[in-house]
């Protein structure tokens, strides 16, 4: 299991200051929608200047018509990131089109599909998808695997079932991890590290417990010790 630190602070300067504090640790860095819209490709380059060994997860959750998603995925190839994601609910044809487009490259980033956002409650999810989270996450995961993707984004509560119906090599990345029992905030389906390990999660994403701490490097170290 690997740790992915969410760079969700309100300015580029704050994010870069956080990266400086944790640059000695072997972690992934997650660049989300707000950060990328605000700071763009230059921010990705700035990360590598601090530590070229950092791996970057570009969390944009692509969702559009198949050709536009494939065009966007091809553009992401030029950014030098190590992982990105799409929405599984865009459909199998869209996911297949993305992977077909990337197949011409000698190497490519890890590609994951978002199943159910961890901010959804069960009732909220059913209002949108007319099906329960667990069942739909399983279905989305099968679709993603059949489409050639490397894994999915899900909550820790769906990870074990997804591994069972796909394969142990099919990756799961789980946001909403609260390593020391912190407040859930705007997330509904949160878990701790021990639960994530039991659920065979491959990547955990931790944000607020790290960047709201007075000593982010110490929190990162404590999480890595748990892993």
């Amino acid at each position: 299991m690997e740790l992915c630190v969410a760079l969700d602070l309100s300015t580029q300067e704050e994010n870069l200051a956080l990266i400086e504090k944790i640059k000695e640790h072997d972690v992934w860095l997650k660049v989300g929608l707000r950060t990328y819209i605000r700071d763009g490709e230059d921010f990705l380059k700035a990360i590598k200047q601090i530590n070229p060994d950092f791996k970057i997860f570009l969390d944009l959750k692509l969702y559009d018509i198949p050709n536009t998603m494939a065009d966007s995925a091809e553009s992401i190839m030029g950014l030098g990131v190590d992982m990105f994601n799409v929405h599984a609910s865009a459909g199998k044809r869209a996911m297949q089109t993305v992977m077909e487009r990337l197949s011409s490259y000698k190497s490519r980033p890890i590609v994951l599909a978002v199943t159910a956002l961890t901010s959804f409650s069960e009732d909220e999810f059913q209002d949108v998808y007319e099906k329960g989270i667990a069942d739909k996450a399983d279905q989305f995961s099968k679709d993603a695997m059949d489409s050639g993707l490397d894994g999915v984004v899900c909550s820790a509560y769906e990870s074990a079932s997804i591994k069972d119906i796909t394969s142990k090599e099919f990756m799961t990345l789980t946001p909403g991890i609260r390593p020391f029992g912190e407040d859930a905030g705007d997330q509904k389906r949160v878990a701790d590290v021990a639960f994530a390990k039991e659920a065979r999660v491959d990547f955990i994403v931790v944000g607020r417990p790290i960047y709201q701490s007075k000593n982010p490097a110490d929190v990162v170290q404590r999480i890595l010790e748990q892993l």
Side-chain angles (χ1 to χ4, degrees), residues 83-121:
M83 179 161 59
F84 73 93
N85 56 3
V86 303
H87 261 289
S89 53
K92 289 180 74 171
R93 184 161 62 90
M95 290 190 285
Q96 289 165 355
T97 303
V98 166
M99 300 313 293
E100 287 166 4
R101 185 73 64 86
L102 298 183
S103 66
S104 61
Y105 291 88
K106 290 183 179 179
S107 62
R108 61 165 177 80
I110 295 168
V111 185
L112 305 179
V114 176
T115 56
L117 298 173
T118 50
S119 58
F120 271 125
S121 68

Side-chain angles (χ1 to χ4, degrees), residues 96-150:
Q96 289 165 355
T97 303
V98 166
M99 300 313 293
E100 287 166 4
R101 185 73 64 86
L102 298 183
S103 66
S104 61
Y105 291 88
K106 290 183 179 179
S107 62
R108 61 165 177 80
I110 295 168
V111 185
L112 305 179
V114 176
T115 56
L117 298 173
T118 50
S119 58
F120 271 125
S121 68
E122 186 71 31
D123 289 343
E124 290 168 340
F125 188 85
Q126 291 205 32
D127 284 344
V128 177
Y129 292 96
E130 299 182 344
K131 200 169 186 179
I133 291 173
D135 289 342
K136 198 68 178 175
D138 283 353
Q139 178 196 326
F140 279 150
S141 299
K142 289 178 184 175
D143 290 346
M145 185 178 70
D146 291 345
S147 301
L149 277 72
D150 303 298

Side-chain angles (χ1 to χ4, degrees), residues 5-30:
V5 178
L7 302 175
D8 291 335
L9 289 160
S10 56
T11 68
Q12 177 175 256
E13 291 71 26
E14 288 175 291
N15 278 328
L16 290 174
L18 172 63
I19 296 167
E20 284 283 357
K21 291 173 182 175
I22 63 173
K23 66 182 179 182
E24 303 303 325
H25 292 288
D26 183 17
V27 296
W28 285 67
L29 300 178
K30 182 179 84 71

